[in-house]
Amino acid sequence: MLHAKESGMASERRRSIWLMKAAALIIMMLLTACGATTVGDEQGAAHHSKQDHLLPNGDLRQWTSSVNESPSFLKDGEEELRLVYKLAAENAQLLQWMPCYCGCGDSSNHRSNLDCFVHERLEDGSIQWDDHGTRCGVCLQIAVEAVKLEQEGNSLDAVRKIIDDKYREGYAAPTPTPMPTI
């Protein structure tokens, strides 16, 4: 029993270290801004071809076989960035309810913070990633903050309220993310 408790503590320690690294990356990226190019209507169309797809606004979408495989646009990047992307994909049930305040609702037609990282996930586990989050500190910060808040025991509604309250002023208009219904 003691071994299981120590293992759990070690796992929690690793997760805390990981979150600190992700937060450090976000702080470094906060000086960057997201693009403000308008996306055409083709973005909303279902796209199941597993080829790379460059959108008119410059966002790149790439497929991988699962959340455990990073898209090639992350291969040469910071480890912390890959971790935030994996964190976003693993916490889709949370981030789908979190708005993004970087302006990507207008520039990229995003509906939530999740869209900054993951465009689509198929039943076979394959994922179409979106590279938007690689260039946007606001996207990264919201994702990490939301997950951290939930891990601290906050309810979905409380996490949403905290995110909305923090980013309501001084940031771009939020994505058109509905309130949580769970």
Side-chain angles (χ1 to χ4, degrees):
M1 187 67 164
L2 183 59
H3 178 66
K5 184 176 181 182
E6 289 174 357
S7 175
M9 290 172 59
S11 176
E12 185 62 33
R13 208 169 306 131
R14 281 191 303 273
R15 180 167 233 150
S16 293
I17 290 169
W18 179 89
L19 281 172
M20 286 188 287
K21 285 182 176 182
L25 173 69
I26 289 168
I27 290 168
M28 291 186 316
M29 295 185 73
L30 279 177
L31 299 176
T32 64
C34 297
T37 307
T38 303
V39 176
D41 291 334
E42 72 280 296
Q43 180 176 352
H47 186 271
H48 293 287
S49 169
K50 297 212 175 168
Q51 297 178 354
D52 290 358
H53 186 63
L54 185 62
L55 300 176
N57 71 343
D59 286 355
L60 177 64
R61 293 193 179 148
Q62 291 181 336
W63 285 95
T64 64
S65 61
S66 75
V67 68
N68 296 316
E69 181 185 352
S70 293
S72 64
F73 63 75
L74 292 176
K75 296 288 190 223
D76 295 328
E78 297 282 332
E79 176 65 18
E80 289 84 3
L81 190 55
R82 284 191 294 278
L83 291 173
V84 174
Y85 264 79
K86 186 172 183 181
L87 179 81
E90 290 174 344
N91 290 276
Q93 76 289 347
L94 170 66
L95 296 183
Q96 70 179 337
W97 302 110
M98 297 301 124
C100 189
Y101 284 83
C102 77
C104 62
D106 292 330
S107 68
S108 300
N109 217 16
H110 288 176
R111 299 170 316 279
S112 72
N113 182 251
L114 178 64
D115 290 346
C116 301
F117 307 97
V118 175
H119 175 69
E120 186 174 10
R121 180 179 267 165
L122 300 181
E123 287 183 24
D124 67 1
S126 60
I127 295 180
Q128 187 180 38
W129 302 93
D130 190 312
D131 80 335
H132 181 85
T134 65
R135 298 178 307 282
C136 186
V138 175
C139 302
L140 296 166
Q141 185 174 353
I142 289 171
V144 171
E145 266 186 278
V147 171
K148 183 176 184 254
L149 288 165
E150 184 182 55
Q151 288 175 348
E152 291 172 350
N154 290 288
S155 70
L156 180 60
D157 288 333
V159 173
R160 172 65 184 261
K161 181 177 179 353
I162 292 167
I163 295 295
D164 282 338
D165 289 349
K166 180 173 182 176
Y167 293 93
R168 179 170 284 123
E169 292 183 25
Y171 293 89
T175 54
T177 310
M179 293 302 287
T181 58
I182 297 175

